[in-house]
């Protein structure tokens, strides 16, 4: 494994024709080796590795770190726009080259709160207005998502003892957890532990998940909730100067609003049976990686012409993400995390190029629309919702009815830093319950 991954890393550093030919030759030798030995191969690192058959598949212990319920929220259908409508609101002419970004097939619709109002006269939209927008819609979506998650977990919000919230679309002091604790609809106890996570962008959702999961594991029998909320429409920059910049147009064609909440629980030793769960993701199956060489690939700067923050996205970001994912997967294998024995992969929606590059970094060959259809469909319906994206893709996976109890899966997110997060899990009974409910509804 190490030898082959070294080959791939070398090719990534020096993407010359010679290196590519060397990699392809190495791949073919591994394919021939696997075929000759009749052992099963795992698509990893761009080729088939000669790995042993999956006779004794590892599984996470039930109740070790359980996702017992989750909920999603958007600003509402009245804030759902087609890409063509967004381009119209941005006043991009039909024959302008920038219009083609809104005609790409990988995104059809996005939820963007109050966008029509704000784009009537962008010059009147101040930083104060965007802060107010971020706070208002973050509270609305968090209240809805947390309420749904608690209903799904069959608990009262008063039973929650820890909350983590990540967000990148605005900065607040105090953080959003304080506003959640204040929400009269939820009635959360004032003795709740709080954690606000900022500055991590698109990979922060899984970091929030891990933070709440770690708390739940350290406090068996108590419920924690992980949240990610993004009002990306509060980050639109569209003045006389910024509207001419391609990077700004790309960002305005990609991001959408959304929120997730996930209830986590760890079974105490004296509890006979854990609650039914969608999955268990023990901490021993988590890993992460940061590639600071790509720190400028995804970064906030101040747009001085408008006195607002501007998100700059480098064209190199998808390729650095792929290299980082490859390094993270190598680390996972060295740490004996059995990532080669997964059945399902849930990836942050990123964008089309990010997904294509991520497939190579993760060693998943083929069309993303077939390999990670749930992620592709989430990107199509919601766009890139930053930290909340991976749970919208997870919801699509739940609805496919293809996951069975005992299957292994992988959460993968990536974002500024460049930061990458991974958590492996084993599916529980609630996947099949959801499948039965979906069949009954149909």
């Amino acid at each position: 494994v190490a030898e082959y991954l070294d080959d791939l890393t070398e090719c990534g550093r020096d993407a010359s024709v010679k290196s590519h030919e060397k990699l392809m030759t190495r791949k073919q030798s591994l394919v021939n080796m696997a075929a000759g030995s009749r052992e099963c191969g795992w698509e990893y690192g761009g080729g088939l590795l000669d790995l042993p058959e999956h006779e004794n598949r590892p599984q996470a212990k039930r109740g070790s770190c359980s996702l017992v319920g989750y909920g999603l929220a958007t600003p509402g259908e009245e804030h759902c726009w087609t890409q063509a409508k967004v381009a119209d609101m941005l006043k991009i002419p039909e024959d302008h080259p920038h219009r083609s970004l809104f005609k790409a097939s990988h995104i059809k619709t996005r939820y963007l709160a109050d966008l029509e109002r704000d784009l009537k006269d962008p010059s009147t939209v101040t930083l104060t207005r965007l802060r107010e927008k971020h706070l208002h819609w973050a509270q609305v979506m968090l209240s809805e998502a947390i309420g749904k998650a608690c209903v799904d977990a069959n608990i009262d919000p008063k039973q929650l003892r820890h909350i983590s919230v990540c967000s990148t679309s605005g900065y607040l002091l105090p953080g959003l957890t304080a506003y959640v604790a204040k929400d009269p609809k939820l009635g959360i106890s004032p003795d709740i532990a709080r954690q606000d996570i900022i500055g991590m962008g698109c990979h922060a959702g899984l970091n929030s998940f891990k933070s709440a999961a770690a708390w739940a594991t350290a406090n068996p029998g108590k419920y924690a909730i992980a949240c990610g909320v993004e009002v990306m429409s509060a980050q639109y920059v569209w003045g006389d100067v910024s509207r001419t910049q391609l990077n700004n147009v790309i960002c305005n064609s990609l991001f959408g609003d959304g929120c997730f909440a996930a209830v986590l629980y760890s079974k105490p030793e004296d509890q006979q049976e854990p609650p039914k769960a969608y999955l268990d993701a023990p901490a021993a199956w988590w890993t992460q990686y940061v590639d600071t060489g790509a720190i400028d690939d995804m970064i906030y700067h101040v747009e001085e012409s408008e006195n607002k923050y501007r998100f700059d996205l480098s064209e190199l970001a998808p390729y650095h993400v792929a290299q980082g994912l490859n390094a993270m997967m190598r680390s996972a294998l060295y740490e004996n995390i059995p990532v080669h024995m997964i059945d399902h992969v849930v990836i942050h929606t990123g964008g089309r190029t990010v997904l294509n590059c991520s497939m190579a970094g993760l060693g998943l060959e083929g069309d993303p629309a077939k390999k990670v259809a749930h992620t592709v469909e989430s990107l199509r319906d919601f766009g890139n919702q930053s930290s909340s994206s991976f749970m919208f893709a997870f919801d699509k996976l739940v609805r496919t009815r293809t996951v069975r109890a005992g299957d292994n899966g992988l959460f993968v997110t990536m974002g500024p830093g460049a930061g990458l997060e991974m958590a492996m899990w084993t599916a529980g009974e609630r996947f099949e319950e959801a499948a039965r409910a979906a069949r009954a509804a149909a």
Side-chain angles (χ1 to χ4, degrees):
V1 171
E3 179 185 358
Y4 183 59
L5 291 176
D6 286 339
D7 290 346
L8 184 62
T9 302
E10 178 182 344
C11 185
R13 284 197 302 263
D14 181 17
S16 64
V17 174
K18 183 177 180 181
S19 295
H20 180 72
E21 291 175 348
K22 178 182 178 182
L23 182 63
M24 292 302 101
T25 300
R26 176 68 176 139
K27 171 182 174 180
Q28 190 58 49
S29 69
L30 288 166
V31 171
N32 294 339
M33 186 190 310
S37 64
R38 294 188 177 181
E39 291 182 345
C40 75
W42 176 249
E43 293 179 22
Y44 189 88
L48 294 175
L49 295 183
D50 185 23
L51 296 173
E53 292 192 30
H54 302 169
E55 293 179 354
N56 298 312
R57 292 171 56 81
Q59 290 193 340
K61 182 181 178 182
R62 289 181 62 235
S64 57
C65 184
S66 304
L67 171 62
V68 295
Y70 72 94
L72 306 176
T74 66
E77 292 304 314
E78 66 272 25
H79 300 279
C80 181
W81 310 104
T82 64
Q83 289 288 77
K85 180 61 177 177
V86 174
D88 289 342
M89 288 189 284
L90 292 170
K91 297 181 175 61
I92 301 175
E94 186 66 37
D95 58 350
H96 196 284
H98 289 171
R99 185 86 181 197
S100 63
L101 293 168
F102 296 82
K103 295 179 179 180
S105 61
H106 61 290
I107 299 177
K108 297 294 185 185
T109 55
R110 291 179 290 153
Y111 290 80
L112 296 160
D114 294 338
L115 192 65
E116 190 170 35
R117 165 192 165 181
D118 289 338
L119 289 180
K120 284 182 179 179
D121 185 1
S123 65
T124 65
V125 180
T126 64
L127 187 60
T128 298
R129 157 63 185 158
L130 295 181
R131 178 197 174 277
E132 292 171 348
K133 180 177 179 177
H134 167 72
L135 176 57
H136 170 74
W137 285 105
Q139 289 181 92
V140 170
M141 290 192 287
L142 280 166
S143 184
E144 180 181 345
I146 292 171
K148 287 180 177 178
C150 290
V151 169
D152 193 39
N154 195 28
I155 66 169
D156 190 289
K158 294 182 177 65
Q159 294 175 256
L160 296 173
R161 287 294 175 268
H162 173 94
I163 179 170
S164 62
V165 177
C166 64
S167 186
T168 303
S169 56
Y171 178 72
L172 299 167
L173 186 68
L176 285 167
T177 57
Y179 292 94
V180 170
K182 182 183 177 183
D183 188 343
K185 293 181 180 179
L186 298 175
I188 290 175
S189 172
D191 65 356
I192 191 166
R194 302 185 297 122
Q195 185 172 40
D196 288 274
I197 299 170
I198 61 172
M200 302 188 76
C202 297
H203 69 110
L206 189 48
N207 189 272
S208 176
F209 182 99
K210 290 179 179 180
S211 297
W215 189 94
T217 302
N219 296 271
K222 297 181 180 180
Y223 292 96
I225 192 163
C227 306
V229 60
E230 303 291 358
V231 190
M232 302 308 295
S233 56
Q235 287 294 321
Y236 264 56
V237 181
W238 200 247
D240 292 337
V241 175
S242 58
R243 71 174 63 225
T244 65
Q245 299 169 353
L246 179 59
N247 173 83
N248 209 55
V249 180
I250 291 172
C251 291
N252 287 350
S253 72
L254 177 62
F255 293 102
D257 300 345
C259 176
F260 83 86
V263 179
L264 296 146
Y265 180 86
S266 181
K267 182 183 81 69
E269 291 184 4
D270 58 356
Q271 184 177 343
Q272 291 187 350
E273 283 293 322
K276 291 182 179 180
Y278 288 98
L279 57 85
D280 277 284
W285 280 4
W286 306 344
T287 193
Q288 56 285 316
Y289 187 81
V290 58
D291 177 10
T292 56
I295 202 166
D296 291 324
D297 281 5
M298 297 164 273
I299 191 169
Y300 271 159
H301 286 120
V302 174
E303 177 53 58
E304 295 184 357
S305 66
E306 298 181 50
N307 194 29
K308 300 172 187 171
Y309 282 113
R310 179 192 73 234
F311 182 58
D312 287 347
L313 181 63
S314 168
E315 66 274 14
L316 296 177
Y319 309 101
H320 286 155
V321 162
Q323 286 185 313
L325 288 174
N326 177 252
M328 183 173 68
M329 297 298 278
R330 181 211 305 257
S331 174
L333 286 170
Y334 286 164
E335 293 171 9
N336 295 317
I337 303 174
V339 291
H340 59 291
M341 294 188 181
I342 55 175
D343 306 291
H344 312 280
V345 184
V346 178
I347 310 174
H348 162 59
T349 53
R352 181 164 57 189
T353 306
V354 170
L355 279 180
N356 288 338
C357 292
S358 297
M359 294 285 286
L362 294 170
L364 298 172
E365 295 183 326
D367 184 357
K370 295 179 180 179
K371 290 287 186 178
V372 287
H374 40 280
T375 294
V376 172
E377 290 171 8
S378 183
L379 177 63
R380 179 197 64 202
D381 295 343
F382 302 101
N384 179 342
Q385 298 162 293
S386 190
S387 67
S388 62
S389 289
F390 84 105
M391 282 301 294
F392 279 78
F394 175 76
D395 181 61
K396 293 282 188 182
L397 176 63
V398 171
R399 296 172 185 273
T400 63
R401 313 179 205 173
T402 60
V403 184
R404 299 289 177 263
D407 285 0
N408 286 326
L410 202 64
F411 285 139
V412 178
T413 63
M414 49 282 197
L420 307 108
E421 303 277 345
M422 187 211 80
M424 185 171 167
W425 45 265
T426 297
E429 307 97 313
R430 295 217 55 192
F431 266 104
E432 296 183 6
E433 286 184 357
R436 288 194 294 270
R439 283 193 295 269

